[in-house]
Amino acid sequence: MGIGRNLTEREQEAHKIDEEDHRGIAGRTYVDLDGDIAILTSGGGASITCVDALLSYGGKPANFTEYSGNPPPEKVEKLTRVVLSKPGINGLWIVGGTANFTRIDETIRGVLDALEDILPDYPIVLRRGGPGEKEAFAMLDKAKQTHHLDIHYYDDTTSMTVTAKILIDLVKKYKKKKQEEREKRDPRI
């Protein structure tokens, strides 16, 4: 308990990530929600603003979580796997302010380790800036080409809230395509 109800299995799993490793924070603030857009945020108060932006554009968050303090790739990978384990995900938003003390390439390595294993077909929008961003964007390019991931990434010259709108537009197209594919398989739908 801790949020007025018993924790879900995903919430319990996310909270254990920080118990196992003191470096950085990843999973301590994980809450399951009812939506279909998985979220990995970094940036404290900016994270809440981002969720508000997502909601204002018609998106429905599947979770709320943050990572910060330069967590190692292994912790970010575990958190990414927890976030993406929820059934019915139609998009992933990785968003945060400009980092000062977090190596973007190290945290993105953790995200990519999970994505390259899971291989989701839904859109992924990332907005990050800070130390190691060029290396992170090169890794994203490689993963996009090698694994055919639908990754769209932006640096800190694009506002975090603008990337919420970008993601929502991509998710709408993704859902429409999935619906059309279902209708082709079964015209009675």
Side-chain angles (χ1 to χ4, degrees):
M1 198 122 153
I3 55 174
R5 61 172 169 74
N6 290 330
L7 299 178
T8 67
E9 285 182 37
R10 259 184 307 283
E11 289 167 341
Q12 292 173 26
E13 190 176 342
H15 294 178
K16 287 180 186 175
I17 295 169
D18 281 336
E19 290 175 6
E20 299 168 2
D21 188 335
H22 69 279
R23 298 169 296 162
I25 296 170
R28 187 177 303 164
T29 57
Y30 179 91
V31 179
D32 269 326
L33 300 171
D34 293 334
D36 64 341
I37 297 177
I39 303 173
L40 288 166
T41 62
S42 184
S47 301
I48 298 298
T49 300
C50 289
V51 171
D52 286 346
L54 187 75
L55 290 166
S56 75
Y57 289 119
K60 295 180 181 169
N63 66 280
F64 178 80
T65 192
E66 295 179 311
Y67 65 91
S68 66
N70 205 32
E74 302 82 26
K75 285 180 75 168
V76 178
E77 177 184 0
K78 287 178 185 178
L79 183 59
T80 303
R81 288 181 184 280
V82 169
V83 166
L84 298 182
S85 70
K86 186 170 186 171
I89 297 296
N90 287 309
L92 171 60
W93 192 26
I94 306 154
V95 61
T98 303
N100 291 315
F101 306 108
T102 298
R103 291 277 318 174
I104 303 302
D105 53 334
E106 290 179 17
T107 57
I108 296 308
R109 175 74 267 148
V111 171
L112 286 173
D113 286 345
L115 290 176
E116 290 171 352
D117 182 47
I118 297 168
L119 298 175
D121 64 344
Y122 45 73
I124 300 160
V125 172
L126 177 133
R127 190 280 191 191
R128 289 302 324 241
E133 72 180 49
K134 288 181 182 158
E135 296 88 344
F137 294 162
M139 289 188 300
L140 290 164
D141 267 339
K142 184 177 179 187
K144 183 175 183 171
Q145 293 172 15
T146 304
H147 300 287
H148 308 289
L149 297 171
D150 187 14
I151 298 175
H152 309 261
Y153 59 86
Y154 304 87
D155 64 15
D156 57 7
T157 62
T158 302
S159 104
M160 291 183 282
T161 56
V162 165
T163 63
K165 174 75 168 111
I166 292 167
L167 178 62
I168 295 306
D169 290 345
L170 291 167
V171 167
K172 286 178 183 175
K173 289 177 188 173
Y174 172 78
K175 287 179 176 180
K176 183 178 179 184
K177 178 183 167 194
K178 288 296 180 188
Q179 180 63 30
E180 289 169 355
E181 289 172 0
R182 280 192 295 275
E183 289 171 359
K184 280 183 183 177
R185 285 192 308 272
D186 187 354
R188 296 173 290 166
I189 293 178

